[in-house]
Amino acid sequence: MSRLMSVVGQPLVASRELTAVSADGSRLHVEVYGPEGAPALVLAHGWTCSTLFWSAQIRELAGSGAGGYRVVVYDQRGHGRSPAVGRDGYSTDALADDLEAVLAAALAPGERAVVAGHSMGGMTIMAAAGRPGFREHAAAVLLCSTGSSRLVAESLVLPMRAGRLRTRITRAVLGARAPLGPVTPLSKKILKYGTMGPGASPERVAECARIVHACPRAARVAWSHVLGELDLGAGVRELTVPTAFIAGSADRLTPPVHAREIVAALPHSLGLTELTGVGHMTPVEAPEAVTAKLRELVREYVAVPAVAGQEEKEQVV
């Protein structure tokens, strides 16, 4: 039975659910929304999140009719409905393997799509940039609130002067093994401070809190160690498809310094959109901006036969 998405307005039902099998045999839960044959987007969520993180984008982009797109979302390994893996199964290579598996399972051979990633999802794209499966399917990319290296050293979660002490304490906080527990007013306040802008609405803070608190502790801790040692500079240079970047000016987890460095190093940069006052959770905090950029990329870089045919007909008339 298809899964209901918890979104504002009418619930959406996945048109189909798939299981992608990665290179090491890990199984990944995949959901596809929207009409078959429509232009496709593949969305990769970040650390401690799940497919639910993209609810606003699914609602706006996967509508029925000629204007609807096909939206593919999946749970990163150990998150959501994708099972946990062994200790050796958490790495940037595994992220790249998983994305290749999802693209192969959800798209037809040679089919091109816009691929977007938030935070660890963006790191997934950078890790996969040189892979044949990625290059076969990626027409354009959107990176949201992400970085390629020095994540712990550049983090602004702790209000301290940059240096070894801040880096050491930040690493300990992000990799803490303590359970997050239930969502409470205090936990929402902490989450908002660390991951969202000061103007984020209570409803959007609560939405993020429900998603993050649902992440299994083992996966949260395992991925924190991977992110703490991240170095994907080579992947940025291999990301040759047209690539846009959205970042929040108030992002404490991956401050805009990361966005500027990545955009400067991209072989085919479409520029940086910096959202004033927005924090790390851009697809939830500023869904209209993220959705608009995704729509723009699909229209520009993914073939839309039905629309093109209609335009031709209109010109003839």
Side-chain angles (χ1 to χ4, degrees):
M1 183 175 180
S2 294
R3 176 187 181 191
L4 293 177
M5 296 292 296
S6 299
V7 296
V8 177
Q10 292 298 318
L12 288 176
V13 181
S15 56
R16 58 193 175 108
E17 296 184 353
L18 309 170
T19 298
V21 181
S22 195
D24 65 355
S26 297
R27 301 172 73 81
L28 303 159
H29 174 74
V30 184
E31 299 168 7
V32 183
Y33 294 82
E36 290 296 322
L41 304 97
V42 179
L43 311 180
H45 69 74
W47 178 49
T48 73
C49 295
S50 70
T51 59
L52 292 171
F53 192 78
W54 298 106
S55 293
Q57 286 69 45
I58 294 169
R59 184 179 71 251
E60 294 300 322
L61 294 170
S64 58
Y69 300 136
R70 195 163 87 260
V71 181
V72 178
V73 293
Y74 70 102
D75 287 322
Q76 300 270 23
R77 58 174 59 197
H79 294 73
R81 296 168 69 184
S82 291
V85 296
R87 181 179 300 178
D88 295 334
Y90 296 96
S91 67
T92 54
D93 281 341
L95 290 175
D97 289 341
D98 294 352
L99 179 55
E100 280 196 296
V102 170
L103 293 171
L107 303 178
E111 182 181 6
R112 310 278 279 174
V114 168
V115 184
H118 168 260
S119 191
M120 193 174 81
M123 299 162 201
T124 300
I125 292 170
M126 289 181 265
R131 298 290 189 90
F134 179 83
R135 293 189 168 182
E136 175 187 356
H137 291 293
V141 160
L142 176 61
L143 300 175
C144 297
S145 309
T146 192
S148 60
S149 62
R150 304 190 322 279
L151 299 184
V152 177
E154 297 285 359
S155 169
L156 301 177
V157 170
L158 294 180
M160 299 171 59
R161 180 180 299 178
R164 291 182 180 178
L165 179 60
R166 189 183 75 175
T167 297
R168 186 163 63 248
I169 298 175
T170 300
R171 190 183 302 276
V173 169
L174 297 180
R177 295 180 174 276
L180 296 182
V183 176
T184 65
L186 177 59
S187 70
K188 286 188 287 187
K189 186 174 182 178
I190 293 170
L191 180 100
K192 180 180 179 180
Y193 170 80
T195 68
M196 305 181 80
S201 71
E203 294 77 19
R204 287 175 176 170
V205 173
E207 181 180 356
C208 283
R210 287 192 297 270
I211 294 170
V212 170
H213 278 244
C215 179
R217 176 174 54 176
R220 170 169 56 84
V221 173
W223 282 120
S224 76
H225 297 322
V226 174
L227 302 183
E229 304 300 326
L230 195 73
D231 186 358
L232 292 173
V236 175
R237 295 188 291 274
E238 290 191 84
L239 194 52
T240 57
V241 298
T243 302
F245 205 119
I246 288 180
S249 69
D251 186 346
R252 290 187 172 94
L253 278 178
T254 52
V257 62
H258 293 290
R260 298 186 192 110
E261 290 178 357
I262 290 172
V263 167
L266 286 169
H268 190 163
S269 171
L270 299 177
L272 167 64
T273 302
E274 190 168 327
L275 304 175
T276 303
V278 174
H280 183 67
M281 303 299 211
T282 40
V284 173
E285 290 184 74
E288 299 84 359
V290 173
T291 300
K293 181 60 69 173
L294 288 170
R295 197 185 301 274
E296 176 187 321
L297 291 174
V298 174
R299 288 174 172 169
E300 185 69 23
Y301 296 103
V302 181
V304 190
V307 174
Q310 181 64 28
E311 288 175 353
E312 271 183 32
K313 184 177 179 182
E314 289 173 357
Q315 288 173 2
V316 170
V317 173

